[in-house]
Amino acid sequence: MTSLLSGHGLHKSFGPIPALRGVDLEVAAGEVLAVMGPSGSGKSTLLHCLAGILAPDAGEVTFDGRRIDKLLDGRRSRLRRTQFGFVFQFGQLVPELTLRENIALPLLLGGRGRRGSVAAAGEWIERLQLTDSADRLPGEVSGGQAQRVALARALIAGPRVVFADEPTGALDSVAADEVMELLVTTARAEGASVVVVTHEPRVAAFADRQLTVRDGRAVLPAVAP
Amino acid sequence: MGIVRRMTVSYALLGLLNEADRHGYDLKQSYDRRFGATRPLRFGQVYRTLAQLERDGLIAVAGVEPGAGPERKRYSITTDGVTDLERWLSEPEDPQPQLQTVLFTKVVVALLSGRSADVFLEEQRQRHLAVMRDLTRQRREASLRDGMLIDYQLFHIEADLRWIEHAAGRLDTLAEEIKL
Ligand SMILES: Nc1ncnc2c1ncn2[C@@H]1O[C@H](COP(=O)(O)OP(=O)(O)OP(=O)(O)O)[C@@H](O)[C@H]1O
Ligand SMILES: [Mg+2]
């Protein structure tokens, strides 16, 4: 497998606390990888290092054949904006904007005109079954609908990788299944890879492959699954 | 179901014999203390299982005390028995109802005999995750009715996994307690 995104020997500490202690991983183009592990094991730290949100203390992050862990801030945030999409557990939508406007936001910020951005958002509203609530505010919709908006917003600018940290953490199992199904199928249709952090096996089961982190290290299965 | 339980009991007894040679009576007592909280063994079952294990060459009679009756025999595990016990311990189980008895027995046998329960639990975890991935994939093509059945399986496997995670976090303490 040729990897699109990889981390090698990743270390990261917060003061005296080591959060990552030498993690290696590879994500192939179009692959959905779930990162599992107990609370505090370093899953979010790993995701942040891979996505260029945090700089690792040691080790390398390579995306599309280039080192990205040493990029300067400006180039790193440009990379995040143009190549990566993000979904978090909650609190990521702008409360004053409608769902439609929230979805269009990455295109507007990327310099696409208002009309084109809103039209593109309209397509995603249909794909993610949000037609009836498109003009409501985030505070007026369910958690599952809000997460579908977050998905659309993560995917609208055509990222190569979507990073999702506990995207279903606040949802019941029915809504969680819907969000994961949409995440996996839309990312696949767009050819994007997905790195999804979750401690729920039912959520991780949507992935092509699972990596488990314990105490800042990746646990490798002794036998291939 | 009968088969699963009988096999698991056999391995529990093998695990006890792996620790030390024992009489049938002693085996029943040790079994009930270590494994049998909710389902103590009947003597008949102990002797039937021992007879099978002996026939299969996994245990042998190490000595016979003077007197009469089956309780006079002292058994020990054979090298074939150790090999079979280790194979059973190292082979992940397919998720299924009633699996808890098997998994629980494996953990206790591993700890009793000073073998690694971490490795076995991690491999079991991987097997469970792989089955969940397959089921999730199947559900995508399934009708709603079949999907509901798959959901039922998924929730049960997830419950096993939670237990595996939970047990993995408590192995050291459990090992102390089991040795008592
Ligand atoms: N910004 C920070 N400052 C200090 N310590 C941190 C910071 N972020 C993470 N840590 C510590 O690093 C370790 C790993 O944290 P991380 O958030 O990566 O775990 P996690 O696996 O995502 O846990 P959870 O499942 O609870 O979200 C923990 O000990 C945590 O307390
Ligand atoms: Mg986290």
Side-chain angles (χ1 to χ4, degrees):
Chain A
M1 117 181 148
T2 51
S3 69
L4 176 67
L5 176 72
S6 68
H8 287 293
L10 296 177
H11 285 257
K12 178 74 188 175
S13 293
F14 298 98
I17 303 167
L20 295 182
R21 304 195 286 175
V23 176
D24 296 319
L25 92 173
E26 313 249 333
V27 184
E31 184 182 34
V32 181
L33 176 73
V35 177
M36 305 185 72
S39 196
S41 58
K43 304 181 295 294
S44 296
T45 307
L46 176 61
L47 184 124
H48 293 159
C49 286
L50 291 172
I53 295 171
L54 279 175
D57 299 335
E60 301 182 359
V61 179
T62 309
F63 170 71
D64 203 13
R66 284 180 307 156
R67 282 282 294 269
I68 61 167
D69 52 286
K70 290 274 192 291
L71 289 180
L72 297 175
D73 280 354
R75 298 193 58 188
R76 201 147 38 116
S77 58
R78 202 182 108 77
L79 177 83
R80 284 204 303 268
R81 217 173 48 240
T82 59
Q83 310 286 324
F84 298 161
F86 294 91
V87 182
F88 298 105
Q89 188 170 342
F90 38 48
Q92 49 195 323
L93 302 180
V94 181
E96 296 82 7
L97 298 181
T98 64
L99 303 192
R100 188 189 304 280
E101 290 162 341
N102 264 286
I103 294 173
L105 202 56
L107 297 182
L108 289 166
L109 295 176
R112 176 101 75 100
R114 180 165 179 88
R115 183 176 300 188
S117 302
V118 172
E123 281 174 37
W124 280 95
I125 281 164
E126 277 185 32
R127 274 175 90 172
L128 296 193
Q129 299 148 26
L130 290 162
T131 322
D132 294 340
S133 38
D135 297 306
R136 292 201 214 150
L137 298 174
E140 301 166 345
V141 301
S142 73
Q145 287 170 320
Q147 285 310 74
R148 281 186 267 148
V149 173
L151 276 190
R153 203 182 58 177
L155 282 155
I156 195 168
R160 311 277 304 279
V161 185
V162 174
F163 293 96
D165 196 345
E166 301 282 6
T168 63
L171 306 180
D172 69 23
S173 57
V174 172
D177 279 355
E178 280 167 9
V179 164
M180 283 310 294
E181 187 63 35
L182 286 166
L183 169 60
V184 167
T185 52
T186 50
R188 230 170 236 140
E190 300 293 301
S193 303
V194 177
V195 179
V196 55
V197 164
T198 179
H199 62 269
E200 286 185 74
R202 282 180 55 267
V203 171
F206 282 86
D208 301 314
R209 196 159 60 89
Q210 290 125 347
L211 174 92
T212 303
V213 180
R214 273 186 219 289
D215 294 332
R217 291 196 179 89
V219 178
L220 292 176
V223 277
Chain B
M1 235 48 354
I3 289 173
V4 171
R5 174 154 162 83
R6 191 178 71 230
M7 284 180 42
T8 307
V9 167
S10 308
Y11 287 111
L13 295 185
L14 274 183
L16 290 169
L17 289 172
N18 184 224
E19 197 186 21
D21 293 359
R22 286 184 157 98
H23 293 91
Y25 178 78
D26 188 17
L27 275 170
K28 180 202 151 36
Q29 298 294 344
S30 308
Y31 179 93
D32 289 351
R33 193 149 45 84
R34 259 86 170 244
F35 304 99
T38 54
R39 300 169 91 174
L41 277 187
R42 283 166 291 108
F43 275 111
Q45 199 181 359
V46 175
Y47 291 115
R48 222 172 25 248
T49 309
L50 289 173
Q52 274 164 9
L53 290 171
E54 189 183 353
R55 190 196 57 210
D56 296 342
L58 304 184
I59 62 174
V61 176
V64 184
E65 319 294 325
E71 67 277 12
R72 299 288 143 210
K73 287 185 188 167
R74 192 159 43 83
Y75 292 93
S76 67
I77 191 165
T78 62
T79 43
D80 280 356
V82 173
T83 308
D84 200 43
L85 180 68
E86 286 180 341
R87 183 196 50 73
W88 174 75
L89 275 174
S90 65
E91 266 176 12
E93 305 285 337
D94 285 324
Q96 51 170 324
Q98 257 78 48
L99 185 58
Q100 28 101 359
T101 319
V102 190
L103 295 188
F104 174 72
T105 306
K106 280 194 177 186
V107 169
V108 176
V109 167
L111 293 176
L112 257 182
S113 57
R115 292 180 175 85
S116 166
D118 292 310
V119 173
F120 136 65
L121 282 178
E122 184 56 36
E123 286 180 8
Q124 188 63 58
R125 210 179 136 259
Q126 297 294 341
R127 169 72 64 94
H128 271 58
L129 289 172
V131 172
M132 287 185 79
R133 272 199 311 269
D134 280 350
L135 288 170
T136 302
R137 213 172 288 137
Q138 284 171 33
R139 187 178 55 181
R140 194 161 293 146
E141 260 88 66
S143 64
L144 181 58
R145 191 198 57 181
D146 292 350
M148 295 288 281
L149 271 176
I150 293 176
D151 278 329
Y152 181 87
Q153 289 174 282
L154 283 169
F155 279 111
H156 278 77
I157 300 173
E158 186 172 56
D160 276 1
L161 271 169
R162 290 221 181 137
W163 181 83
I164 289 171
E165 290 281 345
H166 199 73
R170 277 160 188 71
L171 286 177
D172 292 346
T173 328
L174 189 62
E176 299 284 308
E177 192 184 301
I178 279 168
K179 293 276 150 85
L180 298 178

